[in-house]
Amino acid sequence: MKTLKTLLIPFFLLLVLVSNAQEMQEGFTYLETGQYAQAETFFNTILKDYPENKTARLCYGRAVGLNGDAQKANTIFTNLLEDYPNDFEVKLNYGESLLWSHKFSEAKTYYNSLVTESPESFPALLGYANTLSNLKEYDKALIYVNNALVVSPENPNAMVSKKYIYLGYAYQNQQAQNYGEAETLLTKNLELFGEDKETLMNLANLYLITNELDYANAVYSRIAKNPSNTLEALNGLALVSHLKGKEKKALELSTKAFTGITSNTSEIVSQQTTERYTQALIWNKKYKQAERVIDTLIFEQPNENWVLALRATLNVYKSNFKKSLKDYNRILANDSTSFDGNLGKANALKALGYYDEAYASAENTLSFYDNQKDAVNFITNLNTSFTPALDSRAAYTFDNGNNKAYSFHTNVWFPLSTKLKILGNYNYRNTNNTITNNKANSNDISLGLSYQLLNNITFNGTTGLTSAKAETADYTQLLTDLSFHIKPLKLQTLDIGYKREIQSFNADLLDREIVQNNFYGNYNLSTNFNLGWFTQYMFTSQNDGNKRNLLFTSLYYNLLAKPSLKVGLNYQYITFADQVPTIYFSPESFQAGEVFLNLIKDENTTKPNEWFYELTAATGVQYIEDGERQSTYRIQAKLGYKFSERSMLNVFGTRSNIASATAAGFTFTEIGLRFNWRLFDGPLFRD
């Protein structure tokens, strides 16, 4: 009888286990199919009847953790581990709960002990790889995920982990600007996973960052081969076109994507496509259309950050910087870590003249997005504005009145803060006339400062001396240049100033010691529809008793942005109170009009090891008093090379027969060489 009882006990235990397993099959199915809420409810019910059932406790813990309550799951597995300290399955689940709880450092130590205890355990190896990946220790993570794949070749979970380890490792290298290594890792991922969309998108983004736009275009074209990825590919291709300066193409592509949105399009892709389409409208200055799209989005989603960012971008392009700043602040109120909010705010603050605050906002961006290229470039460009620099030029001038001159000019500015700069300049001019053999030279030196009084008002002032040596006189005179640079309203600038100088164009004028007191105002108006207007008025009082009035106005239209191409009309009107034509050009009235074309590749936006240039060609007519109409021409050009972020060199030249172009009214030519050098790597007042 005792022997029979001994045999029956295991038999009944087996029946109970089989029965329990059959009862829990429904819960297993919930876990396997991702129905974690149902699984949590199911196993909770089981535990009410069988509170000590290990399998039910394990499954309940997993259901709780996978359903989002990582801390509770961790507590469940901690209790299980106390009850079953040597159970490896319990240990594995406890380790996984550490990952759910984002306790990655603790998980690293724990998984290290598990793989030491069982080097061939696939779950332990994969868990350790995932832990290291979360800690961004991608090189080690690759070792352990590969070890897991040795144990279980082509295991889908391990392959997914390996894919994301490669993606994370590539991004880490991208952030460290190890672009070649990042490209290699992404290429390896494509070898393993074919035309994987996530990998291709990361590769395209890498090429955008490195400005390899043709490569980025090719990758987006690869993505487009899969019909399910068409909209995302078109969004990328539109961005590439924008970066190439092909705005119309960008709008064409984004319009195609936007009209391709259907009810089957995912919410995230629909949002990205709407966003790119609106941006393309803004890039093409179709502000009314963009505003209509944004107004609809604001009505439907009044506090969504991506919608607020679009409205802020529109206002930046329209120079409504105060409005854009309000939206960026709203974005940051929603999410203080927002990239668009922080860097967008920095750009708006810079445009408004709040430079210290712009620095702070850009640095805040980097506190969330370490080494992010756009934020780094923003700070670099801002630093350039406040880096001590020297600009020197040497020129040779001659005219059809047999005057020749050699000149050298140097300007230095030395910022002490974002508001205060020390200014200095030195000019030397040696001039002679080959007919009269008159010779003269002058040396000018001035010191001063520039101070930002308000965010939209800057005072500039220099004072100094000029020392001249001429045929009949040697003298020293005071030089002064005082002005206020004002931004009264958006798209407008106003300069009001006074300048005291010496007429030094030729030897005869230097010899006569003619002092000019110039009172002037410059006004420039830009628009959002490519039209611009510049006007200058100057009243001059001279120590020889003569007085001059000068009016110059220019109406121009921007045809292209990159390179800048504009055409326009110039008009100038000059009167002198006294006419002394034997001494200098001083008609009772002078009028000139011209049509001009101006082509510029701006040196400030040119990258190192690239050329920059400018060409202006103009033709028109002039009237001197009651004389007959005379044809005029003007050609100005420069060609330069940017050696680095700190230095550039260019040649320049001018030829003109406009009578007002020189003090003597002659046709003249000037050729020269200019060198610009930033004295330090950055501002001295910043670490």
Side-chain angles (χ1 to χ4, degrees), residues 257-300:
F258 185 68
T259 55
I261 296 175
T262 68
S263 58
N264 295 323
T265 305
S266 70
E267 182 179 347
I268 185 64
V269 173
S270 178
Q271 173 187 315
Q272 292 170 348
T273 305
T274 303
E275 187 174 20
R276 181 69 77 238
Y277 171 66
T278 311
Q279 289 170 340
L281 289 172
I282 295 170
W283 298 334
N284 283 271
K285 298 188 176 182
K286 296 184 181 296
Y287 300 138
K288 291 293 184 183
Q289 288 177 251
E291 194 167 4
R292 284 195 292 269
V293 175
I294 291 170
D295 285 346
T296 301
L297 292 170
I298 289 288
F299 179 78
E300 296 171 349

Side-chain angles (χ1 to χ4, degrees), residues 399-414:
D399 60 39
N400 61 351
N402 297 297
N403 295 296
K404 295 182 179 180
Y406 299 91
S407 62
F408 176 77
H409 307 272
T410 293
N411 292 308
V412 176
W413 52 97
F414 204 99

Side-chain angles (χ1 to χ4, degrees), residues 80 110 122 136 198 224 285 381 390 412 423 448 542 546-547 670:
L80 268 167
Y110 193 74
F122 174 80
K136 297 181 172 57
E198 284 181 279
K285 298 188 176 182
N381 291 334
L390 174 148
V412 176
L423 307 176
Q542 299 184 169
N546 211 347
K547 292 179 172 58
E670 180 179 61

Side-chain angles (χ1 to χ4, degrees), residues 88 113-122 124-125:
F88 199 73
S113 67
L114 292 183
V115 296
T116 301
E117 180 181 345
S118 181
E120 300 298 315
S121 169
F122 174 80
L125 291 167

Side-chain angles (χ1 to χ4, degrees), residues 382-576:
L382 198 54
N383 282 343
T384 299
S385 305
F386 300 109
T387 300
L390 174 148
D391 191 279
S392 296
R393 62 186 66 204
Y396 171 62
T397 305
F398 59 93
D399 60 39
N400 61 351
N402 297 297
N403 295 296
K404 295 182 179 180
Y406 299 91
S407 62
F408 176 77
H409 307 272
T410 293
N411 292 308
V412 176
W413 52 97
F414 204 99
L416 300 178
S417 70
T418 58
K419 293 182 179 295
L420 178 63
K421 296 178 185 177
I422 302 300
L423 307 176
N425 64 71
Y426 169 75
N427 300 320
Y428 170 77
R429 187 175 180 87
N430 185 301
T431 178
N432 69 84
N433 187 287
T434 57
I435 299 298
T436 64
N437 208 31
N438 282 350
K439 298 179 181 179
N441 65 70
S442 63
N443 289 272
D444 306 344
I445 187 166
S446 297
L447 287 173
L449 60 85
S450 173
Y451 187 76
Q452 187 187 37
L453 301 170
L454 298 172
N455 68 294
N456 62 336
I457 301 176
T458 300
F459 168 77
N460 297 293
T462 61
T463 186
L465 297 172
T466 181
S467 175
K469 293 183 178 182
E471 288 293 318
T472 62
D474 295 349
Y475 58 86
T476 300
Q477 281 284 355
L478 178 69
L479 300 174
T480 303
D481 191 354
L482 308 172
S483 67
F484 290 92
H485 180 71
I486 305 166
K487 296 179 179 179
L489 296 169
K490 71 170 187 175
L491 298 171
Q492 299 179 49
T493 59
L494 175 65
D495 295 294
I496 301 172
Y498 164 73
K499 186 175 184 178
R500 176 186 169 95
E501 62 183 350
I502 304 298
Q503 276 279 28
S504 61
F505 179 76
N506 59 36
D508 290 338
L509 290 172
L510 265 175
D511 199 26
R512 291 179 180 273
E513 195 178 350
I514 298 174
V515 178
Q516 291 185 311
N517 294 287
N518 302 302
F519 301 86
Y520 64 89
N522 301 330
Y523 173 73
N524 189 73
L525 171 66
S526 301
T527 68
N528 290 319
F529 47 90
N530 296 332
L531 196 66
W533 179 41
F534 173 81
T535 298
Q536 179 186 65
Y537 172 73
M538 181 181 291
F539 171 74
T540 303
S541 173
Q542 299 184 169
N543 66 346
D544 64 351
N546 211 347
K547 292 179 172 58
R548 178 186 69 176
N549 288 283
L550 182 152
L551 175 68
F552 173 83
T553 189
S554 176
L555 186 67
Y556 55 89
Y557 186 81
N558 294 294
L559 296 172
L560 294 174
K562 294 180 183 179
S564 172
L565 177 63
K566 61 184 176 183
V567 296
L569 299 170
N570 291 337
Y571 171 77
Q572 58 180 318
Y573 177 71
I574 302 173
T575 67
F576 280 85

Side-chain angles (χ1 to χ4, degrees), residues 92-108:
L92 289 171
N93 279 276
Y94 173 75
E96 194 167 0
S97 74
L98 293 174
L99 292 181
W100 295 336
S101 303
H102 295 165
K103 298 177 180 178
F104 301 125
S105 295
E106 189 177 339
K108 178 183 176 181

